[in-house]
């Protein structure tokens, strides 16, 4: 199991209604540049489902903005919720 320093990993939580939480886990490289974002949706205490992930964001030539990423997730929230409901254990 890898242990991350606080400067290498950040977790953002967003309330998306109906008791659901969207979680972004942002992993950074040694230089502090974002290298990956994994997005989960779920109920606290009941588990989460991975609905999106972006990797290689620190590679040369990649133009990336976390705020744009969050806006894209918000714009695609109905699709992400479909992914969640399709994969949640019922």
């Amino acid at each position: 199991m890898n242990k991350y320093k606080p400067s290498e990993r950040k977790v953002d939580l967003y309330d998306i209604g109906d008791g659901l939480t969207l979680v972004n886990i942002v992993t950074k490289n040694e230089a502090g540049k974002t290298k990956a974002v994994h997005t989960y949706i779920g109920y606290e205490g009941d588990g989460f489902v991975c609905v999106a992930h972006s990797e290689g964001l620190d590679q040369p030539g990649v133009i990336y903005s976390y705020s744009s990423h969050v806006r894209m997730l918000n714009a695609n929230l109905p699709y992400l919720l479909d992914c969640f409901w399709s994969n949640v254990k019922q």
Side-chain angles (χ1 to χ4, degrees):
M1 180 172 10
N2 293 336
K3 184 171 181 175
Y4 290 94
K5 299 175 190 171
S7 62
E8 296 175 328
R9 181 166 281 188
K10 177 176 93 166
V11 177
D12 289 332
L13 304 170
Y14 300 91
D15 180 0
I16 57 174
D18 297 327
L20 288 169
T21 302
L22 183 141
V23 178
N24 278 337
I25 299 176
V26 181
T27 308
K28 299 183 178 205
N29 64 17
E30 300 80 27
K33 188 173 179 184
T34 300
K35 69 178 183 178
V37 179
H38 292 82
T39 303
Y40 300 85
I41 292 179
Y43 294 102
E44 278 194 49
D46 198 27
F48 287 80
V49 173
C50 183
V51 294
H53 63 91
S54 300
E55 298 183 13
L57 302 173
D58 60 343
Q59 298 300 310
V62 175
I63 299 171
Y64 174 76
S65 160
Y66 183 69
S67 60
S68 293
H69 184 87
V70 171
R71 283 193 301 274
M72 184 273 308
L73 291 174
N74 191 39
N76 290 295
L77 192 55
Y79 171 75
L80 297 175
L81 286 169
D82 283 345
C83 291
F84 169 74
W85 290 117
S86 296
N87 289 292
V88 70
K89 294 177 183 176
Q90 299 202 22

